[in-house]
Amino acid sequence: MGNLLKVLTCTELEQGPNFFLDFENAQPTDGEREVWNQVNSVLQDSESILAGLQAYKGAGQEIRDAIQNPNVLSLQEQAWNSVCPLVIKLKNFYDFSNRLEDALKSLLESLTCAPLTPTQHLEREQALAKQFAEILHFTLRFDELKMRNPAIQNDFSYYRRTISRNRLNNMNLDIENEVNNEMANKMSLFYAEATPMLKTLSNATTNFVTENKTLPLDNTTDCLSTMASVCKVMLETPEYSSRFSSEDTRLFCMRVMVGVIILYDHVHPNGAFNKSSKIDMKGCIKVLKDQPAEKVGGLLDALKFTTKHLNDESTPKNIRTMLP
């Protein structure tokens, strides 16, 4: 088992084993290689996607100038020429979300299939578990950046208004070869979400369960709850967190923990906050709140605003009050 160490069994919470999983160094075995290569071809582009989003400045000034001076053709052209390359960039982000969705489904197929249990999969396929974690880590980072950048929706709204008006004026719009009306509608729905990548993964996980009717639901939810327990134990136990070679791994674990909680909450009929949940939500939230506030504010907001069952009557009040 190498880098994966069983550390405890939480029978009181009716949870499965919790593990220390080496997120930093896990390497694929021969049996994992095919799926690992497929997912890696997607993940290797994730940093450039994040860099593009982080560098996204928008065309706010050009748009304002064009709107305030509707009869000045040069300003209209300047705004349009500024927005079009940004829309192509937004399309690249959207296209990547579709690739990420396919990668997630491949990992779920591998980590939940018979005859192994989800726990056995995580024990034996650590590199795939690491890739699953990397997808969630990317997703939380992308959504945090998107939420802090209102220019994205402003630019795209301007693009849609302008392209409709220009079509009426019979203008030749080459960009429609890249972002036609159908694509614009899909992108609009994507960027309207506060956390679009999380929404994509939540839908992908729900669709995975729906499409695989012969696969017990517990296979998927147990995979998610076990991953949450992995991260919680690693974060709250100095003996294990001290093994991280980088402080960034702590934040990585926090993002992954929040990500799998959100997926579990969307897939499980009773959600993650119910007393019957296999995730120790009180413990997970406490782990987050024990970290510096500037590091976890966005993660606590994600739990508060993107989960599905937080405000259900069955959710214990003391858990709801733990989220600011």
Side-chain angles (χ1 to χ4, degrees):
M1 298 302 170
N3 295 320
L4 189 63
L5 304 176
K6 187 179 296 184
V7 294
L8 64 105
T9 301
C10 296
T11 54
E12 290 183 5
L13 293 170
E14 298 180 352
Q15 294 179 334
N18 289 274
F19 301 100
F20 181 90
L21 175 59
D22 191 349
F23 284 138
E24 295 177 331
N25 302 303
Q27 296 297 318
T29 62
D30 290 342
E32 298 169 87
R33 182 71 62 180
E34 181 178 355
V35 174
W36 189 91
N37 284 339
Q38 175 191 341
V39 176
N40 187 59
S41 68
V42 178
L43 285 173
Q44 66 185 4
D45 295 330
S46 62
E47 288 301 320
S48 64
I49 293 292
L50 288 173
L53 179 57
Q54 194 156 21
Y56 191 101
K57 301 304 181 186
Q61 186 60 53
E62 292 88 345
I63 291 172
R64 283 191 294 272
D65 289 344
I67 291 174
Q68 291 168 6
N69 301 276
N71 296 318
V72 181
L73 181 60
S74 62
L75 293 178
Q76 309 307 310
E77 291 177 344
Q78 184 177 355
W80 180 248
N81 291 333
S82 297
V83 164
C84 284
L86 294 174
V87 169
I88 298 302
K89 182 177 287 191
L90 293 177
K91 181 180 182 292
N92 291 338
F93 298 161
Y94 172 76
D95 288 342
F96 187 77
S97 75
N98 293 326
R99 295 174 61 203
L100 203 68
E101 179 178 357
D102 292 338
L104 179 71
K105 287 183 177 180
S106 294
L107 288 173
L108 286 173
E109 288 173 3
S110 296
L111 294 172
T112 61
C113 64
L116 300 182
T117 66
T119 296
Q120 290 170 331
H121 277 295
L122 293 174
E123 287 180 334
R124 303 179 190 187
E125 299 165 356
Q126 298 174 45
L128 297 186
K130 179 175 181 286
Q131 285 186 318
F132 188 13
E134 287 172 347
I135 286 177
L136 293 166
H137 181 243
F138 162 83
T139 295
L140 270 294
R141 290 169 70 195
F142 182 96
D143 286 348
E144 286 169 6
L145 289 171
K146 187 267 180 184
M147 283 192 289
R148 296 202 298 263
N149 197 334
I152 289 173
Q153 284 180 277
N154 292 339
D155 293 346
F156 198 68
S157 294
Y158 178 81
Y159 169 79
R160 297 196 74 191
R161 292 195 307 271
T162 304
I163 202 170
S164 296
R165 185 172 66 247
N166 288 346
R167 190 184 294 113
L168 292 174
N169 294 334
N170 297 315
M171 287 181 61
N172 181 22
L173 301 171
D174 291 337
I175 193 172
E176 280 203 276
N177 295 327
E178 291 280 348
V179 183
N180 59 25
N181 192 54
E182 181 182 359
M183 175 57 67
N185 288 337
K186 292 177 180 178
M187 290 171 60
S188 181
L189 290 173
F190 178 77
Y191 287 110
E193 296 288 342
T195 53
M197 285 290 178
L198 265 176
K199 180 67 173 178
T200 296
L201 295 194
S202 296
N203 289 343
T205 308
T206 302
N207 291 339
F208 172 79
V209 170
T210 303
E211 293 164 3
N212 293 272
K213 297 184 184 301
T214 60
L215 183 72
L217 175 63
D218 285 352
N219 285 36
T220 303
T221 55
D222 285 355
C223 176
L224 300 173
S225 62
T226 300
M227 186 70 82
S229 296
V230 168
C231 296
K232 173 178 168 289
V233 170
M234 291 169 70
L235 288 165
E236 69 184 359
T237 310
E239 178 184 350
Y240 304 111
S241 58
S242 65
R243 299 179 185 180
F244 301 154
S245 64
S246 169
E247 182 62 25
D248 291 342
T249 306
R250 177 177 291 276
L251 184 54
F252 179 96
C253 286
M254 287 189 280
R255 287 196 177 109
V256 173
M257 182 177 72
V258 168
V260 289
I261 288 171
I262 292 170
L263 295 187
Y264 182 102
D265 190 66
H266 279 263
V267 171
H268 197 285
N270 297 325
F273 301 94
N274 192 281
K275 289 182 179 179
S276 64
S277 170
K278 291 185 178 181
I279 297 178
D280 174 15
M281 284 305 308
K282 187 175 180 180
C284 289
I285 295 172
K286 183 180 184 302
V287 164
L288 291 175
K289 297 186 77 171
D290 285 344
Q291 312 302 318
E294 65 273 11
K295 289 188 175 183
V296 298
L299 298 178
L300 290 169
D301 284 345
L303 284 178
K304 187 173 182 179
F305 297 116
T306 64
T307 46
K308 184 178 179 181
H309 295 277
L310 175 62
N311 294 313
D312 288 0
E313 291 183 3
S314 59
T315 299
K317 185 177 179 180
N318 63 336
I319 290 182
R320 283 200 297 267
T321 57
M322 288 181 73
L323 292 171

